[in-house]
Amino acid sequence: MGNVRIVSYGSEQIKIVEGGIDAIGMALYNKSEEEKASILLCLDRYLDPYYGHHLPYEAEIFVLLQNLLFENLSADIKMDILDLLLYSERPLDILENGLDKLSGEVLSQAKYILYDEE
């Protein structure tokens, strides 16, 4: 049986997300794996249209997330990022141009998002 991953977020992560693109970027580049996962889960609240939230810097978040995919991050964090990129209504050019740098499940999910293929 695989490891169970439990991720949650609270007021600290909400403050980071609502603090703007610089605060989000600093946290996602510099915090621990667990903290990154919490911030990404918190971002889901703001990027998923279901919840009705809107951040004025949403376009910048999607650019940041695409760039983060090519950093030295765990597959779990990369999959969390890809889940968020599903909410983007803009072309994901950075992701598409970097596909050759991805592999395994992350590559499969990226192709699914970009081309609706496995």
Side-chain angles (χ1 to χ4, degrees), residues 9 42-54 58 62 83-84 86-89:
Y9 68 88
C42 184
L43 276 170
D44 187 76
R45 170 184 178 178
Y46 292 90
L47 298 177
D48 184 341
Y50 173 83
Y51 297 107
H53 296 284
H54 179 74
E58 197 171 277
F62 286 119
D83 288 344
L84 292 173
L86 280 168
Y87 301 131
S88 177
E89 295 177 3

Side-chain angles (χ1 to χ4, degrees), residues 54-72:
H54 179 74
L55 296 170
Y57 40 91
E58 197 171 277
E60 291 94 335
I61 292 171
F62 286 119
V63 169
L64 171 67
L65 292 174
Q66 289 178 81
N67 284 316
L68 271 168
L69 271 176
F70 304 105
E71 296 296 321
N72 186 18

Side-chain angles (χ1 to χ4, degrees), residues 5 7-10 13-14 16-17 24-25 27-29 31-48 51 61-62 64-66 68-69 73-85 87:
R5 185 170 166 239
V7 179
S8 63
Y9 68 88
Q13 290 79 24
I14 290 171
I16 290 169
V17 169
I24 296 167
L28 289 176
Y29 274 100
K31 298 280 187 173
S32 69
E33 173 100 357
E34 294 78 19
E35 184 66 19
K36 289 174 187 174
S38 295
I39 292 166
L40 292 169
L41 179 62
C42 184
L43 276 170
D44 187 76
R45 170 184 178 178
Y46 292 90
L47 298 177
D48 184 341
Y51 297 107
I61 292 171
F62 286 119
L64 171 67
L65 292 174
Q66 289 178 81
L68 271 168
L69 271 176
L73 300 169
S74 72
D76 284 338
I77 294 295
K78 289 182 179 190
M79 293 300 284
D80 292 345
I81 291 169
L82 288 168
D83 288 344
L84 292 173
L85 291 177
Y87 301 131

Side-chain angles (χ1 to χ4, degrees), residues 4 15 30 38 46 56 62 65 94 100 111 115:
V4 175
K15 185 177 173 185
N30 298 309
S38 295
Y46 292 90
F62 286 119
L65 292 174
I94 297 166
D100 61 332
K111 285 182 176 178
Y115 312 119

